[in-house]
Amino acid sequence: MSLCKGENAALAVRPVVLSVSVPGLAADVSALLLGVDGKVRGDDDLVFYNHPVQDAVSIAGSAVTADLARVPQSVDRVVIAASADPQQPGAVFTRAPQLTVAQAGSPDLSFTAPDFTSGETVVVLAELYRRSGGWKVRAVGQGYASGLAGLATDYGVDVEPEQPAAPVARVPGPTALAPGPGRSAIDLAKVERRAPGLAAPVRQAGQALADRGIAERRAAVYLILDHDWHMEQLYESFAVQAFAERILALSANLDDDGTVPVIFSSQDQPFLEEIRLDNYRGRIGRLHTQIDWGWGDVAASMRRAVGHYQESGAADPAFIVTQVGDEPCDKAEIRSLLQNTAALGVFWLFVGFGRGKLAFYKNLNASASATFTNVAFYDAGKNPGSVPDDRFYTGLVQAFATWIGSPA
C-alpha cells in the first residue's frame, strides 16, 4: 500500500521497521521521541548514529525499529527524519527520499516524499503516533534547510552547533527588515536560534513585503481558524498546522514578539490561544483537540480577535488572517463587523481553503458599490501547502500592502 503525503494508516502494537532510501545522497537517519507537548523529554530522546537506542526505539544503518508495545506511555510520538551527511559540505536533498514501513504479518506500506528544490538538508519523512489506545503512522514529507541540529533544536534537544570548516560569507538578502520610525530591525538570528525550521519562510515573507514597499511597516498579526467538522481531514493531514506556521513566519516580519494569537472558530465560544516561535511544532494539532467539531461562528471569532486587539493597547494596525472553509451562516453580522472595524485600524484577509463554497467571501468586494476598503480574499485552493512560498506570500500581502500604504 502506498501512502500519499499527509495520509495515515493503522499499525499493530508490535515491532515496526521504517527503512529509508535516499537516491544520490549520503544521509543519516534519526528518530525523535516526543511527549504530548511535542517536545523531547530530554536530550537522550534524539536517537541517531551516536546514540542508537532509547526506550524501545533503535537505529541500525538506514532503518528505525520501534517496538510499539514497549515504548513508554510518556512517548506520544516518534518522528522519523533523514539528514544530509554534514561531512559533505553543500549536500542538500533534491531527489525524493523513499520510506518503507514493515510489520510482520501485515502488508508493507511505502511513501515517497516530494522532490525538494529549496536547499533542504533534513527531511521529516513520517511519524508514529498514539491514537485510541493503538498506534498509527503518518506520511509527512516536510523539508527544512536547518540540518539535523536545527531540527533537534525545534523539538527541544540541546545540541552543540556544528562548526564550519572555514568562515562562511553571509549572502546579502532579506535577512532583516530595515529599521523604520519607532521600530527595531527583525533579527533573523533570533528566528534561526529559536525556530530554525521557519528561517526560509520568514525570508520569503520578508521578500514579499519588501517587493511591495512595506518592509518597514508593522502590524499585529492574528489568525482565525475554521474548526467546522468538514475541516477534520485538513487538521489530520497537517495542512492547517503548515498554514499556521506560514502565518507565524509572516508575523516574525511584521511583529517581532514571535507570537500570533490563534482563535478557533467552532460552535462553542471561540477558543483563543497562541502560537510562538518556541512552541509552534505540532501546536495546532494539540490545541484543536481541546474543542469539539461543529458549525463555526465566524462573527463571534472576529469579535474575539477585535476585542483582544483593543485590550492589548497596540499602536500598530491589526492584520487578521481569517481562514474559512465554507459559507458562513451569519453573513449580515459579518458585513456589519467589517464596516464597523474599518476605522479601528483592522485589516481582514479571508483565506479560503478546503472543500466548501466560498462565494460570500469572494464577492465581498466584487461590486462597484463595495465599501469594504479593509477587506480582501485570497483563495489558497484545497491545500495551501501545494502553493510555493513566494506565490503564497505574494497573495497574502498584496491587498494588505495597498491598504496599509494608503494615506490615512
Side-chain angles (χ1 to χ4, degrees):
M1 175 182 173
S2 179
L3 296 176
C4 296
K5 183 174 179 177
E7 285 188 328
N8 58 64
L11 297 173
V13 184
R14 55 174 178 257
V16 59
V17 180
L18 300 98
S19 303
V20 179
S21 173
V22 184
L25 178 68
D28 298 315
V29 177
S30 56
L32 291 125
L33 282 60
L34 309 181
V36 293
D37 61 351
K39 298 285 188 179
V40 296
R41 302 162 301 165
D43 291 349
D44 287 343
D45 282 346
L46 173 60
V47 184
F48 67 121
Y49 50 85
N50 277 342
H51 176 58
V53 181
Q54 179 70 30
D55 285 342
V57 177
S58 60
I59 297 283
S62 60
V64 177
T65 299
D67 188 344
L68 300 180
R70 295 177 51 235
V71 175
Q73 284 294 323
S74 57
V75 176
D76 185 65
R77 285 192 291 153
V78 179
V79 171
I80 314 300
S83 55
D85 186 346
Q87 300 303 314
Q88 295 185 357
V92 297
F93 284 90
T94 53
R95 300 279 301 280
Q98 299 166 351
L99 176 72
T100 301
V101 182
Q103 276 192 307
S106 301
D108 286 356
L109 303 171
S110 64
F111 168 58
T112 300
D115 290 335
F116 296 100
T117 60
S118 300
E120 289 86 352
T121 56
V122 62
V123 175
V124 173
L125 289 169
E127 66 170 10
L128 308 172
Y129 63 100
R130 295 185 186 273
R131 181 56 57 89
S132 302
W135 284 87
K136 284 189 166 187
V137 61
R138 178 182 286 120
V140 179
Q142 177 81 42
Y144 303 90
S146 52
L148 179 59
L151 181 72
T153 301
D154 272 2
Y155 285 112
V157 182
D158 187 12
V159 295
E160 291 293 328
E162 295 175 4
Q163 298 297 321
V168 179
R170 289 194 174 273
V171 179
T175 58
L177 298 183
R183 72 166 289 163
S184 301
I186 297 299
D187 183 5
L188 187 63
K190 179 179 76 172
V191 176
E192 292 175 333
R193 183 174 62 254
R194 296 175 62 188
L198 289 181
V202 166
R203 289 191 184 94
Q204 289 281 8
Q207 186 62 59
L209 294 168
D211 288 346
R212 276 139 199 89
I214 58 168
E216 298 181 7
R217 303 302 297 268
R218 297 194 73 176
V221 178
Y222 285 77
L223 176 60
I224 296 175
L225 293 174
D226 186 354
H227 203 256
D228 281 6
W229 62 269
H230 59 77
M231 291 290 298
E232 183 174 7
Q233 185 177 352
L234 291 169
Y235 278 89
E236 287 289 321
S237 68
F238 288 108
V240 181
Q241 170 71 36
F243 176 71
E245 291 179 13
R246 282 172 144 183
I247 302 305
L248 181 60
L250 174 66
S251 175
N253 287 273
L254 290 169
D255 186 353
D256 64 356
D257 67 354
T259 300
V260 174
V262 179
I263 300 168
F264 292 86
S265 173
S266 69
Q267 62 185 5
D268 300 318
Q269 289 294 321
F271 178 56
L272 188 149
E273 261 291 348
E274 62 184 29
I275 183 171
R276 305 190 306 268
L277 292 176
D278 59 1
N279 77 354
Y280 73 95
R281 287 285 189 191
R283 176 79 168 158
I284 299 301
R286 293 190 296 276
L287 289 176
H288 93 87
T289 58
Q290 300 179 40
I291 52 178
D292 293 331
W293 298 106
W295 296 107
D297 189 337
V298 179
S301 300
M302 292 170 66
R303 286 194 300 271
R304 186 72 185 274
V306 173
H308 186 281
Y309 169 63
Q310 291 180 303
E311 291 167 7
S312 73
D316 298 308
F319 185 5
I320 304 180
V321 179
T322 305
Q323 180 265 317
V324 291
D326 206 346
E327 295 284 271
C329 59
D330 43 7
K331 297 177 182 178
E333 193 172 0
I334 290 175
R335 288 193 183 95
S336 177
L337 276 165
L338 296 177
Q339 290 174 337
N340 294 338
T341 55
L344 298 179
V346 175
F347 183 84
W348 300 94
L349 178 67
F350 293 101
V351 179
F353 71 85
R355 295 170 176 80
K357 296 179 180 179
L358 300 169
F360 170 78
Y361 300 105
K362 292 179 180 179
N363 294 326
L364 279 170
N365 281 322
S367 69
S369 60
T371 57
F372 302 124
T373 58
N374 62 326
V375 177
F377 174 80
Y378 173 54
D379 190 346
K382 291 185 177 180
N383 184 355
S386 62
V387 182
D389 275 346
D390 55 348
R391 202 169 79 212
F392 176 83
Y393 284 117
T394 296
L396 210 63
V397 307
Q398 192 164 10
F400 172 71
T402 302
W403 175 79
I404 200 171
S406 301

